[in-house]
């Protein structure tokens, strides 16, 4: 009974974006019983940026066969993250009985996936460092960018980063420019048109290589010759610890760039951590959009301000 109570309370806090230490305690309290309970607890822990604990590996493996295909695939993704060499040793019937595998698990089984390309990841990090001299402009979707006429300055940067649905009637090129070198996408974005001249795509969230089981947009991007990257889990974990809430895509990308060699050198942020514009408008390109309730926007603004004091432009 206590386990079910903790599960209900944990689900409520997660929906509210309350990623406090108490959520970790609730996740650990659920780790009783078979594979179903372990998987639910492990996925909740991973929302906080914590991979599968080693002590849970053996019981989760023992419970794999009892999991339905979709949940088994998710469990294999969690295992691939912490014990990658284990997957090829599992019985074929256990692996083949899973649904679509997360890219990180498929990679360990010799099945290449767009989200699990180690060479592309290395190339991207080298490219990021090479663009620092000319500047990275991370352009969020805050409505506060309206009327500021920063488009030409943005497009003059060596690298321009955009987020999710950044093109729309409310986003004028005079204010935000038109280039897009890096497109950062939430996993639920599937139908947006690919920007012209796109060089890289990044899926936001806690390293979806080991979580996503199906993301059709990755295949569209691959066919267009655009490599797809994910953010390392420790970066997500650090942001969660700072905010006590899940970070927005813009905040997460800033945290990633700031953690790389060179720190804030050449990095500029616009429309990220700027709050709501006059009149209550939140999203520049989509005027009817409303702020996500799970993010702590005031905490993000304070963190961006702290980073600006450290050198973020």
């Amino acid at each position: 009974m206590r386990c079910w109570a903790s599960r209900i309370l944990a689900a409520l806090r997660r929906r509210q974006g309350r990623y406090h230490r108490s959520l970790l305690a609730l996740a650990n309290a659920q780790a009783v019983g078979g594979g179903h309970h372990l998987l639910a607890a492990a996925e909740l822990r991973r929302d906080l940026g914590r991979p599968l604990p080693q002590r849970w590996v053996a019981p989760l493996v023992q419970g794999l066969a009892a999991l339905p295909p979709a949940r088994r695939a998710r469990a294999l993704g969690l295992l691939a993250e912490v014990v990658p060499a284990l997957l090829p040793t599992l019985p074929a019937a256990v692996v083949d009985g899973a649904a679509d595998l997360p890219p990180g698990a498929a990679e360990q089984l010799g099945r290449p996936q767009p989200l699990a390309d180690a060479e592309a990841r290395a190339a991207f990090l080298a490219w990021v460092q090479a663009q620092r001299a000319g500047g990275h402009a991370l352009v969020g979707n805050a409505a506060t960018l309206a009327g500021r006429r920063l488009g030409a300055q943005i497009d003059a940067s060596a690298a321009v980063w955009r987020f999710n649905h950044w093109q729309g009637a409310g986003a004028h090129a005079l204010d935000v420019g038109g280039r897009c070198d890096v497109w950062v996408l939430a996993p639920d974005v599937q139908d947006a048109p690919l920007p012209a001249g796109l060089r890289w795509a990044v899926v936001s969230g806690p390293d979806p290589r080991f979580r996503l089981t199906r993301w059709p947009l990755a295949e569209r991007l691959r066919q267009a010759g655009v490599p797809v990257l994910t953010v390392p889990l420790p970066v997500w974990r650090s942001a969660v610890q700072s905010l006590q809430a899940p970070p927005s895509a813009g905040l997460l990308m800033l945290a990633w760039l700031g953690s790389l060699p060179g720190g804030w050198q050449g990095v500029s942020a616009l429309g990220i951590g700027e709050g709501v514009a006059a009149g209550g408008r939140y999203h520049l390109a989509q005027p009817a959009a409303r702020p996500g309730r799970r993010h702590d926007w005031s905490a993000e603004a304070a963190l961006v301000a702290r980073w600006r004091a450290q050198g973020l432009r």
Side-chain angles (χ1 to χ4, degrees):
M1 189 68 181
R2 291 177 61 188
C3 178
W4 282 107
S6 68
R7 183 166 298 169
I8 294 170
L9 184 56
L12 175 61
R13 289 183 179 173
R14 184 187 180 280
R15 284 198 299 270
Q16 295 172 336
R18 295 171 60 188
Y19 281 25
H20 303 166
R21 190 168 184 82
S22 60
L23 188 59
L24 176 62
L26 288 170
N28 291 337
Q30 295 179 28
V32 295
H36 290 273
H37 296 284
L38 273 177
L39 178 60
E43 290 187 323
L44 188 56
R45 284 177 54 96
R46 207 171 179 285
D47 276 353
L48 304 175
R50 296 171 181 269
L52 182 74
Q54 288 290 336
R55 67 183 183 277
W56 292 4
V57 169
L60 185 58
V61 170
Q62 292 171 2
L64 282 174
L67 293 173
R71 293 177 64 81
R72 191 184 306 182
R74 301 207 308 265
L76 289 171
L78 294 173
L79 290 166
E81 187 171 27
V82 296
V83 284
L86 173 68
L87 265 66
T89 70
L90 294 174
V94 171
V95 176
D96 294 341
D100 294 331
L101 290 172
E107 180 185 36
Q108 298 305 321
L109 296 167
R111 307 172 190 176
Q113 293 282 333
L115 284 179
D117 189 333
E119 291 185 5
R121 181 175 296 272
F124 176 71
L125 294 177
W127 177 83
V128 166
Q129 296 302 90
Q131 310 311 310
R132 285 187 182 272
H136 289 274
L138 280 72
V139 188
N141 297 318
T144 53
L145 290 173
R148 287 164 64 177
R149 299 296 189 265
L150 295 172
Q153 181 181 343
I154 290 169
D155 282 349
S157 303
V160 180
W161 300 51
R162 308 284 184 175
F163 299 87
N164 295 315
H165 298 284
W166 62 277
Q167 296 171 300
H172 301 292
L174 283 175
D175 291 327
V176 296
R179 276 183 53 204
C180 180
D181 299 293
V182 184
W183 192 20
V184 183
L185 298 144
D188 60 351
V189 175
Q190 295 292 342
D191 57 354
L194 273 58
L198 182 65
R199 302 188 61 171
W200 308 93
V202 180
V203 189
S204 62
D207 201 347
R209 284 181 298 162
F210 303 98
R211 195 84 172 263
L212 283 177
T213 54
R214 195 166 185 275
W215 195 54
L217 185 55
E219 184 59 27
R220 284 176 53 204
L221 289 162
R222 187 193 66 79
Q223 292 177 354
V226 179
V228 186
L229 289 301
T230 61
V231 184
L233 189 62
V235 177
W236 172 272
R237 178 176 179 175
S238 177
V240 166
Q241 289 175 332
S242 296
L243 300 168
Q244 298 290 283
S248 66
L251 195 289
L252 182 62
M253 294 307 113
L254 285 175
W256 191 13
L257 284 178
S259 71
L260 296 175
W264 299 122
Q265 177 190 352
V267 180
S268 300
L270 305 94
I272 300 173
E274 294 188 6
V276 178
R281 186 176 171 191
Y282 156 72
H283 199 286
L284 183 65
Q286 298 179 313
R290 293 292 178 263
R293 295 182 178 181
R294 296 179 65 230
H295 301 305
D296 188 332
W297 299 108
S298 60
E300 292 204 2
L303 186 54
V304 170
R306 189 159 75 243
W307 285 342
R308 291 197 188 283
Q310 296 170 358
L312 172 66
R313 295 187 295 183

